[in-house]
Amino acid sequence: MALMTKTIEDLFVYLAQGSDILVIFLFLLFIKRCKSEKGLWAISVYCFLFLVINYLADFLFVNLIHFFYSLFTYIEYCAFAYFLWLNIKSTFFRRLIFIGSCIFILGLTIYYQTTEFRSIDSVPIGFEFILILLFSFYYLYEQMKDTTNLVIYTKYQFWILTGIMIYLAGSFFIYIFANQLDKNFLKQFWFLTNAFYCIKNIFFCIAIILHVKKQNKFYHIKLHPTLS
Amino acid sequence: MLFMGTLGMLVLTIGLILFIIFHQRKVIRYQLRLQQMEQEQQKILLNASIRLQEEERQRLAADLHDDAGPLLATARLYLNENLVNQDKATQLQSIFQARQILDDTIQLIRNISHSLMPPTLKNFGLESAVNDLFQKISGSGTINASSRFHEYKDRLKPEKELIVFRVVQELINNILKHSNSSFIHLTQNNHNGSFLLRVHHDGRGIVQTDFEKLNKSNVGLGLKNISSRLRVAHGNILFEKDASQTYYKITVEIPRDDQYETLTISS
């Protein structure tokens, strides 16, 4: 039974890493169509860094795992906040994101300097998730108000945001309680974070494919205006 | 608790995303419906203006065919080849008759031309043309009609003047035809950079909801004509009952500024 559980856990870890590779692969495959989109760059770089950090933490520098965990929180927050900052139209809210991010990063640095690391950095992750979820809600609210838009799910940003939100919402409580709960009990649920991570990456892939399809249509119209 | 928390967060997030998708779809559907309604309205207005143009052509054709045609044919009869063989007195009488008929025809054609484009409007402007129209109506003795322009030192552009004049003509025509009123009073003012015209009458009238209803239906050709003309001038019209509930009031508002410089009108 224990072996079975371990296999399932490992399967999700591999799936999470594999989904990262898939995002990077798709981005590189369609780089011509994607290179102008800063949002797609942000998520691809984020996936790449996650992969590298995981590799470094698991195989090369196992004793520096805490450092890599904190580094990952920085990168994740910056990638998601940057993506939302790019796509939110309100100047006031963009400023708010910028100021909020500066404060958060400063707080994060102070936290890592002053607090002893336990199994995971629950408090910064909690703050990070809340901030990103708040920014995401605002983005959706802005899209809802904007009646000039096409249907929201025709934009690739929507799929990225849905992936981010599902991942954050699904992993939120697990990360928050990671330090408080019994390790064996937590292990039963830990695979969920990897599952949500996979789901997020699947949404990222959908976003890339959607963007490429749209671009293809655009190029087709540009090349053959009469066939539009 | 951990499981419930995670499940709760997921349900909330997915619920929110679904709510936004459905809400947006609803808004888009509503906008499409509005657009469709507007297109239908424009189609009705276009049909009305085509019908009106056809009616005007038919009237013009009838006037020329039924009035000018017989008059000219009669004049031709007086001036036939046999005239040279007749005595001088008969010749003179025939020429006199023919001249009389030609004068009548000239007057008839002048009237037709004036109904198409009033010369007073062209030469002296909207104020004179409207005053002239109201004097003619009042002169008939059946209704008391008066007009007063308070702030019309700066004239509107000729094309806008023509639009306003046609609207006034149509309104007066409707009042005379349907309202059974004993007086019509027109006043002109300016308000917030807009040209304002108010027409009062004491007969049977319509209010804004009736106007909008008639505008959307297949009847009320004149009202649709008013709507399409005002749309060209980016103007508004408001039909209402006076505060005292005794009179009907029609307010026409047209922006004075030159932001609609590229106005093209076919009257």
Side-chain angles (χ1 to χ4, degrees):
Chain A
M1 184 69 190
L3 187 71
M4 179 86 168
T5 317
K6 179 83 178 99
T7 313
I8 290 172
E9 277 171 21
D10 287 347
L11 176 74
F12 277 106
V13 171
Y14 295 137
L15 274 177
Q17 288 173 2
S19 63
D20 269 331
I21 295 169
L22 188 66
V23 174
I24 297 161
F25 172 73
L26 279 175
F27 181 76
L28 291 176
L29 189 68
F30 302 114
I31 193 143
K32 263 190 179 176
R33 302 274 190 274
C34 301
K35 65 180 174 191
S36 59
E37 287 301 316
K38 289 177 185 166
L40 291 178
W41 273 105
I43 58 145
S44 306
V45 169
Y46 156 75
C47 288
F48 175 73
L49 289 175
F50 177 81
L51 211 62
V52 172
I53 288 169
N54 256 344
Y55 179 74
L56 291 175
D58 290 346
F59 300 107
L60 293 180
F61 307 102
V62 186
N63 51 337
L64 286 174
I65 196 157
H66 293 162
F67 165 75
F68 286 119
Y69 272 156
S70 44
L71 190 63
F72 187 69
T73 310
Y74 275 115
I75 292 165
E76 190 173 71
Y77 177 82
C78 289
F80 292 167
Y82 177 63
F83 173 78
L84 286 158
W85 181 83
L86 277 176
N87 290 296
I88 282 173
K89 285 175 193 156
S90 154
T91 327
F92 172 73
F93 209 83
R94 277 162 72 107
R95 269 188 211 143
L96 211 70
I97 290 178
F98 182 74
I99 295 165
S101 300
C102 289
I103 295 168
F104 176 73
I105 287 166
L106 192 76
L108 210 61
T109 315
I110 295 167
Y111 179 85
Y112 288 134
Q113 295 296 323
T114 53
T115 317
E116 196 190 331
F117 211 97
R118 290 168 73 189
S119 59
I120 200 165
D121 49 341
S122 287
V123 179
I125 289 177
F127 274 110
E128 179 213 329
F129 281 21
I130 289 168
L131 278 176
I132 298 294
L133 280 173
L134 278 176
F135 299 159
S136 308
F137 291 152
Y138 183 80
Y139 172 77
L140 287 175
Y141 168 72
E142 208 176 52
Q143 292 298 307
M144 199 174 79
K145 269 201 317 184
D146 189 359
T147 50
T148 55
N149 259 339
L150 288 173
V151 189
I152 194 167
Y153 49 76
T154 55
K155 295 170 89 178
Y156 82 87
Q157 287 91 337
F158 168 78
W159 293 96
I160 292 181
L161 197 85
T162 307
I164 293 173
M165 283 176 80
I166 288 175
Y167 163 63
L168 296 185
S171 328
F172 182 71
F173 278 100
I174 301 170
Y175 281 128
I176 286 280
F177 289 112
N179 287 333
Q180 272 82 41
L181 293 172
D182 174 57
K183 275 198 175 171
N184 288 327
F185 177 73
L186 192 69
K187 259 190 175 175
Q188 291 175 6
F189 291 98
W190 197 252
F191 77 95
L192 275 175
T193 57
N194 287 322
F196 287 122
Y197 193 85
C198 281
I199 293 171
K200 180 202 71 182
N201 282 345
I202 290 167
F203 278 104
F204 285 3
C205 293
I206 294 172
I208 293 174
I209 292 166
L210 195 79
H211 175 70
V212 171
K213 265 192 167 182
K214 248 189 183 177
Q215 289 287 308
N216 280 346
K217 217 187 242 177
F218 173 72
Y219 278 115
H220 185 70
I221 291 167
K222 226 176 151 183
L223 289 171
H224 309 283
T226 48
L227 298 177
S228 66
Chain B
M1 187 185 154
L2 190 68
F3 181 72
M4 288 307 285
T6 305
L7 194 72
M9 278 292 274
L10 265 179
V11 169
L12 266 175
T13 310
I14 294 169
L16 183 86
I17 292 166
L18 287 177
F19 166 75
I20 282 162
I21 291 174
F22 286 118
H23 176 81
Q24 212 201 17
R25 281 177 66 163
K26 209 169 122 186
V27 170
I28 288 170
R29 264 208 298 270
Y30 174 73
Q31 274 184 330
L32 280 175
R33 212 167 52 226
L34 268 184
Q35 250 175 19
Q36 217 173 355
M37 274 165 71
E38 196 153 317
Q39 276 172 357
E40 272 169 23
Q41 173 76 4
Q42 272 178 349
K43 211 170 146 186
I44 289 173
L45 285 178
L46 191 70
N47 277 339
S49 99
I50 290 168
R51 262 170 65 192
L52 206 84
Q53 223 174 38
E54 281 308 314
E55 274 180 17
E56 192 70 8
R57 278 182 186 165
Q58 276 174 16
R59 191 184 63 79
L60 204 64
D63 280 356
L64 289 172
H65 180 267
D66 301 344
D67 297 336
L71 281 172
L72 289 172
T74 317
R76 191 172 169 270
L77 279 177
Y78 278 107
L79 302 171
N80 61 10
E81 298 84 20
N82 286 336
L83 195 64
V84 284
N85 302 325
Q86 282 168 353
D87 60 286
K88 221 164 194 176
T90 318
Q91 276 182 354
L92 268 172
Q93 202 187 350
S94 289
I95 289 167
F96 179 75
Q97 291 285 359
R99 211 177 130 173
Q100 192 80 39
I101 291 166
L102 285 174
D103 282 345
D104 287 350
T105 314
I106 290 166
Q107 189 57 44
L108 179 82
I109 288 168
R110 189 179 279 166
N111 286 345
I112 293 171
S113 148
H114 285 186
S115 74
L116 288 176
M117 178 70 194
T120 333
L121 179 68
K122 200 178 167 190
N123 300 328
F124 304 106
L126 181 70
E127 185 176 355
S128 305
V130 170
N131 286 338
D132 200 32
L133 177 74
F134 273 69
Q135 267 169 20
K136 272 181 192 159
I137 294 165
S138 213
S140 69
T142 51
I143 193 164
N144 179 13
S146 60
S147 66
R148 200 179 172 91
F149 279 64
H150 293 289
E151 295 166 278
Y152 200 60
K153 276 181 194 153
D154 298 324
R155 276 176 62 178
L156 288 172
K157 290 189 164 190
E159 45 286 27
K160 276 196 184 178
E161 280 199 329
L162 184 61
I163 288 175
V164 175
F165 186 72
R166 294 293 182 216
V167 169
V168 170
Q169 263 186 327
E170 199 60 62
L171 288 173
I172 300 302
N173 204 15
N174 283 345
I175 293 169
L176 293 176
K177 239 161 90 180
H178 306 292
S179 78
N180 206 15
S181 57
S182 64
F183 84 87
I184 312 170
H185 183 57
L186 180 144
T187 49
Q188 181 276 329
N189 287 94
N190 289 328
H191 179 69
N192 289 341
S194 288
F195 171 88
L196 220 67
L197 260 188
R198 278 210 178 90
V199 181
H200 288 86
H201 70 89
D202 64 340
R204 275 185 294 123
I206 57 167
V207 288
Q208 195 65 15
T209 46
D210 301 324
F211 171 69
E212 277 158 16
K213 224 183 276 176
L214 284 165
N215 233 348
K216 280 171 192 156
S217 70
N218 286 326
V219 289
L221 198 66
L223 294 177
K224 286 186 194 77
N225 188 27
I226 290 173
S227 284
S228 56
R229 282 186 196 279
L230 286 175
R231 193 172 280 201
V232 173
H234 297 91
N236 295 310
I237 191 161
L238 180 70
F239 289 81
E240 57 190 331
K241 225 170 175 185
D242 205 72
S244 61
Q245 298 286 309
T246 332
Y247 310 114
Y248 279 93
K249 193 165 79 177
I250 305 146
T251 312
V252 177
E253 189 183 4
I254 288 177
R256 261 184 180 277
D257 47 20
D258 292 329
Q259 55 178 311
Y260 308 113
E261 201 82 69
T262 53
L263 206 70
T264 49
I265 308 149
S266 58
S267 72

